């Protein structure tokens, strides 16, 4: 039986959502005002929305849309200049309880009110980006961690006031499923906070500690021993890191391989990215040991995953790719003179 479509409202919901999936979010919002039928269909079916294109009045737009789009699971609210205020985030938290991904990058106007609202209204969050939100406190972040326990991805880059050892202890205690954490330039944290993460978040895959100038070898050793799935580690400008940390990383490959075989796991790749730029206390032998232990770390052109910028004493460190041509050349017999 062929359905006759005489008016816009007669388009089946499934077909409408397929059409809208091909359009940008700004057009989808416009489409929701065509008629009551479309508004209801979009309100019920829309799960992903980005308002990053909105350069003016984003706050009012969020306030008007949140009560309509109650099935949202992903909401991107990145801003080039701060527009969002606490009342908009509170509206999202109130009307969008299914939210799993929330991006509030550069929301400089937000205060602790927003974090408390998110914690109470969006307990199913898996991914939260509040990088650059400089007004949040560590108390509010710790409270959020205590309620949003399903977090897997958390970007706190530049949240200097919010990221303290106390906050990291809360994250390590409550967010045991965490896999990605960016703590770039959070200068207050010490080994106490990072070690809490290592002990509480064993599934950690990516950790950025760039600019965390207070941490020492103890943090890296804890991560090496407690986070067997760690694939990316950023230690840029962590000048207290010494060879002891590097040898611990190198030895962790053997430990993790043994642990994986006991548990029937096949997860042997190990570190794939390591940034030790400006870690000027490191010696070539220690860094070479790490490079030899993890074949995915490269110093060769076009594949730089072992980043050593600013460490002039480490120029002799090379990955297997660089070593093979050298060995090949040496393999040819020298002609007699």
């Amino acid at each position: 039986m062929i359905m006759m479509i005489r008016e816009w409202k007669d388009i089946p919901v499934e077909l409408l959502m397929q059409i809208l999936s091909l359009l940008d979010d700004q057009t989808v919002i416009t489409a929701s005002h065509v008629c009551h039928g479309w508004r209801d269909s979009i309100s019920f079916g829309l799960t992903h929305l980005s308002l990053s294109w909105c350069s003016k009045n984003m706050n009012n737009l969020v306030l008007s849309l949140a009560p309509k789009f109650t099935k949202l699971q992903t909401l991107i609210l990145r801003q080039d200049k701060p527009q969002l205020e606490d009342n908009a985030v509170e509206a999202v938290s109130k009307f969008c309880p299914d939210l799993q991904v929330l991006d509030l990058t550069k929301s400089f106007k937000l205060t602790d009110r927003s974090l408390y609202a998110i914690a109470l209204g969006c307990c199913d969050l898996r991914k939260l980006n509040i990088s650059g939100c400089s007004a949040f406190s560590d108390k509010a972040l710790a409270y959020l961690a205590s309620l949003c326990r399903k977090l897997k991805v958390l970007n706190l880059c530049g949240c200097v006031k919010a990221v303290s050892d106390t906050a990291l202890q809360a994250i390590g205690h409550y967010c045991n499923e965490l896999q990605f954490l960016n703590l770039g330039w959070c200068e207050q944290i010490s080994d106490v906070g990072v070690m809490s993460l290592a002990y509480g978040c064993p599934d950690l895959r990516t950790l950025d500690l760039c600019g965390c100038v207070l941490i020492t070898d103890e943090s890296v050793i804890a991560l090496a021993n407690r986070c067997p799935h760690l694939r990316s580690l950023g230690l840029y400008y962590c000048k207290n890191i010494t060879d002891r940390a590097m040898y611990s990383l190198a030895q962790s490959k053997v430990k993790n391989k043994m642990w994986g075989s006991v548990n029937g796991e096949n997860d042997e790749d190990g570190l794939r990215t390591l940034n030790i730029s400006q870690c000027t206390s490191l010696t070539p032998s220690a860094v070479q040991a790490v490079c030899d232990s993890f074949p995915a770390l490269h110093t060769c052109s076009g594949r730089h995953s072992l980043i050593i910028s600013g460490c002039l004493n480490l120029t002799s460190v090379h990955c297997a790719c660089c070593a093979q041509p050298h060995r090949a050349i040496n393999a040819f017999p020298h002609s007699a003179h």
Side-chain angles (χ1 to χ4, degrees):
M1 180 179 178
I2 300 176
M3 179 182 294
M4 297 296 293
I5 300 176
R6 300 181 183 278
E7 299 181 25
W8 291 113
K9 64 181 180 62
D10 296 329
I11 297 179
V13 175
E14 295 79 5
L15 177 58
L16 175 62
M17 296 312 297
Q18 286 186 21
I19 294 172
L20 293 178
S21 68
L22 304 175
L23 305 176
D24 61 82
D25 289 334
Q26 190 171 0
T27 305
V28 171
I29 293 172
T30 302
S32 68
H33 294 90
V34 169
C35 62
H36 291 296
W38 279 32
R39 182 195 64 192
D40 294 341
S41 297
I42 293 173
S43 297
F44 183 79
L46 190 66
T47 58
H48 294 68
L49 181 65
S50 173
L51 300 180
S52 296
W53 49 267
C54 183
S55 58
K56 295 181 180 179
N57 299 318
M58 180 187 284
N59 200 72
N60 290 334
L61 183 59
V62 173
L63 286 171
S64 66
L65 294 179
K68 301 174 184 176
F69 300 152
T70 57
K71 300 298 181 180
L72 283 178
Q73 296 180 14
T74 298
L75 181 58
I76 309 300
L77 300 174
R78 286 174 169 264
Q79 302 144 80
D80 290 326
K81 59 180 181 180
Q83 302 179 63
L84 277 186
E85 298 176 12
D86 290 324
N87 59 345
V89 177
E90 288 171 336
V92 170
S93 302
K94 178 180 179 180
F95 293 106
C96 306
D98 298 330
L99 208 60
Q100 296 184 17
V101 178
L102 179 60
D103 190 338
L104 299 172
T105 302
K106 295 183 180 179
S107 298
F108 301 128
K109 292 184 177 182
L110 299 184
T111 70
D112 285 351
R113 277 175 53 193
S114 291
L115 284 191
Y116 286 126
I118 294 169
L120 292 171
C122 304
C123 295
D124 286 333
L125 268 184
R126 291 342 190 246
K127 182 177 181 179
L128 177 63
N129 188 342
I130 54 173
S131 59
C133 298
S134 53
F136 294 147
S137 71
D138 61 342
K139 183 179 179 181
L141 180 58
Y143 183 78
L144 180 136
S146 70
L147 294 181
C148 298
R149 302 187 181 192
K150 298 178 182 179
L151 278 170
K152 292 182 180 293
V153 177
L154 185 56
N155 191 336
L156 302 173
C157 181
C159 299
V160 180
K161 287 176 59 179
V163 181
S164 65
D165 287 337
T166 300
L168 294 188
Q169 286 173 321
I171 292 171
H173 182 73
Y174 294 111
C175 303
N176 308 126
E177 299 179 21
L178 199 64
Q179 295 183 359
F180 174 100
L181 181 60
N182 189 338
L183 300 174
W185 305 105
C186 296
E187 301 173 351
Q188 298 184 67
I189 63 172
S190 70
D191 292 331
V192 173
V194 178
M195 291 172 69
S196 297
L197 291 173
Y199 280 82
C201 306
D203 203 27
L204 207 57
R205 312 293 176 96
T206 298
L207 179 60
D208 192 340
L209 295 168
C210 294
C212 299
V213 295
L214 298 181
I215 67 168
T216 71
D217 293 338
E218 300 304 323
S219 290
V220 180
I221 292 170
L223 291 167
N225 291 333
R226 294 286 178 168
C227 300
H229 305 293
L230 193 63
R231 296 293 169 262
S232 178
L233 180 60
L235 297 171
Y236 172 76
Y237 216 77
C238 298
K239 295 197 172 187
N240 293 325
I241 302 300
T242 71
D243 288 353
R244 184 164 162 252
M246 295 297 102
Y247 284 121
S248 179
L249 284 173
Q251 293 167 6
S252 71
K253 177 64 179 292
V254 177
K255 296 177 184 177
N256 294 338
K257 187 174 182 180
M258 292 174 59
W259 180 254
S261 62
V262 170
N263 288 275
E265 299 175 359
N266 185 19
D267 195 10
E268 300 180 359
D269 288 339
L271 276 177
R272 297 169 187 169
T273 304
L274 178 62
N275 187 344
I276 50 174
S277 298
Q278 301 297 334
C279 296
T280 51
S281 297
L282 300 176
T283 65
S285 58
V287 178
Q288 186 64 59
V290 177
C291 198
D292 292 342
S293 296
F294 300 104
L297 290 178
H298 291 279
T299 58
C300 52
S301 178
R303 301 179 69 184
H304 290 291
S305 55
L306 176 58
I307 306 167
I308 55 177
S309 302
C311 301
L312 298 179
N313 61 322
L314 299 181
T315 54
S316 63
V317 175
H318 54 75
C319 61
C321 298
C322 295
Q324 286 170 0
H326 180 71
R327 294 192 189 109
I329 292 173
N330 290 337
F332 288 102
H334 295 285
S335 56
H337 293 286

